Amino acid sequence: MMLKSVTESFANVIHGLKVGHLTDCVIQRSKRMILDTLGVGFLGTSTEVFHKVSQYSKIYGSNMSSTVWGQPDFRLPPSYAAFVNGVAIHSMDFDDTWHPATHPSGAVLPALTALSEAPPQCAKFSGLDLLLAFNVGIEIQGRLMHFSKEASDIPKRFHPPSVVGTLGSAAAASKLLGLSLAKCQEALAIATSFAGAPMANAATEAKPLHIGNAARHGIEAAFLAMLGLQGNKHILDMTKGFGAFYANYSPKVLPSLDSYSWLLDEQDVAFKCFPAHLATHWVAEAAATVRQHLVLSDGVLLPADHIEKIVLRVPDVQYVNRPFPGSEHEARHSFQYVACTMLLDGDVAVPSFHKDHISRPQVTELLRKIKLEHPSDNMPNFDTMYCEICVTLKDGATLTERCSTFYGHWRNPLNKEDLQKKFRANATAVLPRNTLESLIKIVEKLEDIEDCSVLTTLLKGSEETSKLSRM
């Protein structure tokens, strides 16, 4: 089939990719992404922003309803279940990160779990149906980001999940719902009109809305396309269409289905070991290495007043340059705060961003001594950036360490045991132990599951589902 436009080629890929196109590598990597995303979503149900959007979403009603993860007595219409679950996923900035830069899973998985509970005409979705739709949603995001060099770097204008994530969610929803090629094309056009959120809201409670809205709007775009709503059929071909979000936009027709290869086969994602902006993970690992030299022979840490100054050599990323963060969200987007926390505590974890940790006098004292430098070779790119930390003591001694690849980066991925350990730590306050372990096993064998309701039932997190999992 001769495809006339980029937009049509995207619709063809969404509509035409089959389970047989999935490779073992793509299946294994995407199952890791799903498990991690579920875990950070469960953890996010404890946050203030999750409770605010949950209260807001309760005003909406529908004959169809879907699970809000970890909330056995709380259901919402599919689009709003996707919204609040998406907000939970990004509420602590703990979700996965891809290259070019975006958070790929959080925009897609909530849409699919919501839709899998509200299928048309009593259809039943298998684990392979879910995996295929999930990977279609991830793939569409990656392909769109490869059309502009701007997308390769840490963003300055738009938050990528609000842009490519919205279209990825629409693609995944369209695939799961079985839309025709023409309807898939319309869903992409409609989703583009929902897309976009400014980076000015980074480090605020509004940033998690970007993921929630992407998940929600993807469902809405697919539903509207099903009802016959039409948009521009060349939306991805035009600089005033999807190209409005990226400079130097140069779209290309996608490969044919006969020779199709997945981007996830070529490029893995990064998983975070603590809940903060990805760029701070280089800082944490470099600071951890320096800290080893600050521990005295008796095991006591050298007092902070012995430190004269600290220099962090990092890329110039303005929204992660926060010398004195005043909230948990600002602290998660602060090179300086993460460096101080690692030097003082020897660890960065979920409690590190609680208000009482941020406001400690010793943190403030150390923050005053930090200066950022931006070497010309250290570009704002998650594939090439590094962090060098230089600590000068008052006796004149200088300690310098550098991190080029942190543990969890796609070049040094989390092993299976540590990924599951992260999931358990994140989900343990929400799920009964038996349910938690059952979820790990279900995701591990997702391609063999005949009915996704097994998964969505466990996502509720009630004692009843705990009994079910034991059975």
Side-chain angles (χ1 to χ4, degrees), residues 62-129:
S62 168
N63 292 330
M64 293 190 295
S65 69
S66 302
T67 296
V68 176
W69 299 352
Q71 312 294 307
D73 300 320
F74 184 23
R75 296 178 66 83
L76 287 169
S79 61
Y80 281 92
F83 171 63
V84 298
N85 289 330
V87 168
I89 288 165
H90 198 58
S91 61
M92 293 188 183
D93 215 320
F94 211 177
D95 42 332
D96 58 17
T97 306
W98 209 14
H99 176 72
T102 194
H103 303 285
S105 299
V108 173
L109 187 60
L112 295 178
T113 61
L115 287 174
S116 70
E117 292 186 272
Q121 300 173 343
C122 300
K124 183 173 72 173
F125 299 121
S126 69
L128 274 174
D129 292 331

Side-chain angles (χ1 to χ4, degrees), residues 92-402:
M92 293 188 183
D93 215 320
F94 211 177
D95 42 332
D96 58 17
T97 306
W98 209 14
H99 176 72
T102 194
H103 303 285
S105 299
V108 173
L109 187 60
L112 295 178
T113 61
L115 287 174
S116 70
E117 292 186 272
Q121 300 173 343
C122 300
K124 183 173 72 173
F125 299 121
S126 69
L128 274 174
D129 292 331
L130 184 72
L131 281 167
L132 178 60
F134 178 82
N135 279 291
V136 165
I138 302 301
E139 178 74 7
I140 292 307
Q141 295 178 68
R143 292 290 178 179
L144 288 169
M145 289 187 295
H146 277 79
F147 292 163
S148 168
K149 185 182 180 303
E150 180 187 356
S152 294
D153 295 335
I154 298 172
K156 294 181 179 179
R157 298 187 301 133
F158 294 100
H159 192 208
S162 73
V163 181
V164 297
T166 305
L167 275 74
S169 172
S174 298
K175 187 64 185 175
L176 195 69
L177 294 170
L179 268 61
S180 68
L181 191 152
K183 299 289 188 189
C184 289
Q185 194 167 348
E186 299 296 359
L188 291 171
I190 297 164
T192 304
S193 282
F194 283 134
M199 287 307 303
N201 270 332
T204 73
E205 277 191 328
K207 188 180 178 222
L209 301 181
H210 302 173
I211 299 280
N213 278 331
R216 167 192 158 199
H217 288 147
I219 289 178
E220 291 173 345
F223 280 168
L224 288 168
M226 287 175 70
L227 292 170
L229 191 75
Q230 296 181 344
N232 192 309
K233 289 179 173 53
H234 300 281
I235 197 75
L236 304 184
D237 297 75
M238 306 165 68
T239 54
K240 63 181 180 181
F242 187 81
F245 295 110
Y246 290 107
N248 304 313
Y249 182 67
S250 181
K252 296 177 178 61
V253 170
L254 297 188
S256 73
L257 295 174
D258 294 336
S259 58
Y260 201 85
S261 60
W262 301 86
L263 292 178
L264 190 59
D265 252 332
E266 305 165 18
Q267 174 68 62
D268 202 356
V269 300
F271 296 112
K272 299 177 180 180
C273 292
F274 61 87
H277 188 275
L278 193 73
T280 66
H281 289 246
W282 281 267
V283 173
E285 200 150 306
T289 309
V290 162
R291 189 180 190 274
Q292 295 174 8
H293 305 298
L294 297 175
V295 177
L296 304 177
S297 57
D298 58 359
V300 176
L301 184 68
L302 185 75
D305 59 9
H306 284 57
I307 295 175
E308 180 70 30
K309 67 176 180 178
I310 303 168
V311 175
L312 300 179
R313 300 186 179 106
V314 292
D316 185 8
V317 184
Q318 288 301 309
Y319 73 99
V320 196
N321 178 2
R322 298 183 187 273
F324 298 99
S327 70
E328 63 164 298
H329 298 285
E330 290 184 358
R332 297 182 201 283
H333 294 75
S334 171
F335 287 126
Q336 297 91 329
Y337 178 75
V338 168
C340 288
T341 299
M342 182 59 81
L343 289 172
L344 288 170
D345 303 332
D347 188 29
V348 184
V350 172
S352 302
F353 301 93
H354 294 172
K355 188 174 182 180
D356 56 343
H357 280 68
I358 298 168
S359 60
R360 289 179 292 170
Q362 57 268 45
V363 171
T364 304
E365 177 189 355
L366 213 52
L367 283 170
R368 292 194 181 103
K369 300 179 180 183
I370 291 190
K371 176 187 175 185
L372 299 192
E373 292 181 357
H374 308 302
S376 59
D377 68 335
N378 199 357
M379 302 305 293
N381 182 302
F382 289 140
D383 199 43
T384 62
M385 69 167 283
Y386 64 86
C387 170
E388 190 170 271
I389 180 170
C390 181
V391 176
T392 302
L393 304 180
K394 289 191 174 176
D395 64 5
T398 300
L399 306 168
T400 302
E401 293 289 349
R402 176 172 170 147

